[in-house]
Amino acid sequence: MEKDTQPDVVSSVLKVFGIVDALSEQKEIGVTDLAQRLMMSKSTIYRFLQTMKGLGIVAQEGETDKYRLTLKLFELSARALEYVDLIELANKEMEEISKQTGETLHLGTLDGNEIVYLHKIDSTYNLRMYSRVGRRNPSYSTAIGKVLLSAHTDDEVETLLKEVEFIPHTANTLKNIEELKQELALVREQHYAEDKEEQEVGLHCVAAPIYDRFGHCIAAISISLPLVRFEKENLTHLVDLLHQAGRNVSKQLGYQHYPVAE
C-alpha cells in the first residue's frame, strides 16, 4: 500500500514547492494565474493554498483570490542557519572543556516538550554516557531540559508539559509538575541545572544556557559524568567551565548580557 501511494505523495510535494517558487517571484498572485503557470487545475491549486494558509506559509489578500508568501519560510530557514552557526561555535567551546575534563559534552535544544541533542563530544574514558546526536530525552529529567524550561514562566511550563507523564526513570526522577517548578525556581536563580541520577542511574549531569542575539535561551551545553568520577567539591569548577562556554557562544551569536559575570 505504501508503494502505491508514494508517487502521489512525491507529486504533492513537488506541486507545493512549485507553488512556493511561483509565489516567491512576485508579491502576490491569484489562483487562476497560478493554475495557468503551473498547469494545474484551479481546484487543486486552491486546495493546496488553503492547507498552506493553515500552516502559516501563505496569506490571502483580503477577500480576493490573491495569495502571498508569509515570513514563515524565512523564519524556518533563519532558524536552521542559526543552528548551523550554533553547532560550529559550541563545538569549539565543548572541545576545550573536553580537553580539560575528558567527560561527555552535549549541546541540546528544546523541541516541543522534549530535548534533542544537536551535537556531542564523547568522553575519553571507557566508562561513559552512551547517547547520539538526534536522540530525544524528557525535559523534566535532564539538566539541559531544566535549563531550557527555566526560560519559560511556570504557566508556560505547565502548558508545555500538560500532556507529559512524569515517568520514574530512576528513584530520583521528579514526580510531578510541582516538584519541577520548585527546581526551576532554583535554576533561574543560579543559571545552571543538574540532573542528579534522574535520567540514568549512576550519572550526574550539569548544564548551562546559551542565548541568541535577542536574549532568548535557545540551547544549553551539558557535561555528563559517572558518579565514580563526580566530586561535589568540583561542581563549582564544572559550572564555571559551562558558563564560560555559554557566555562565549552567546556573545558570538550577538548577546552581550550573559546573566553570570566572568
Side-chain angles (χ1 to χ4, degrees), residues 191-208:
H191 306 294
Y192 73 87
E194 293 180 81
D195 159 12
K196 304 174 182 178
E197 292 188 274
E198 296 164 53
Q199 179 63 28
E200 186 176 331
V201 174
L203 190 69
H204 196 108
C205 300
V206 189

Side-chain angles (χ1 to χ4, degrees), residues 42 78 90 94 97 101 103 143 146 162 176 184 196 220 243:
K42 291 171 62 176
M94 293 165 69
I97 297 177
T101 66
E103 301 294 354
K146 291 175 189 176
K162 64 180 180 180
N176 52 54
L184 292 182
K196 304 174 182 178
H243 277 156

Side-chain angles (χ1 to χ4, degrees), residues 22 64 108 139 145-146 166 177 186 190 192 221:
T64 70
S139 55
K146 291 175 189 176
F166 280 63
I177 193 73
L186 179 61
Q190 61 191 17
Y192 73 87
I221 294 178

Side-chain angles (χ1 to χ4, degrees), residues 2-44:
E2 290 183 2
K3 291 183 179 179
D4 292 336
T5 60
Q6 187 174 5
D8 292 336
V9 173
V10 173
S11 175
S12 296
V13 172
L14 291 174
K15 289 174 182 176
V16 168
F17 275 94
I19 293 172
V20 169
D21 189 52
L23 287 170
S24 71
E25 294 178 356
Q26 58 191 87
K27 184 176 180 181
E28 59 185 38
I29 189 170
V31 174
T32 301
D33 289 340
L34 271 174
Q36 292 174 350
R37 179 179 300 191
L38 300 174
M39 293 183 290
M40 294 161 53
S41 70
K42 291 171 62 176
S43 61
T44 299

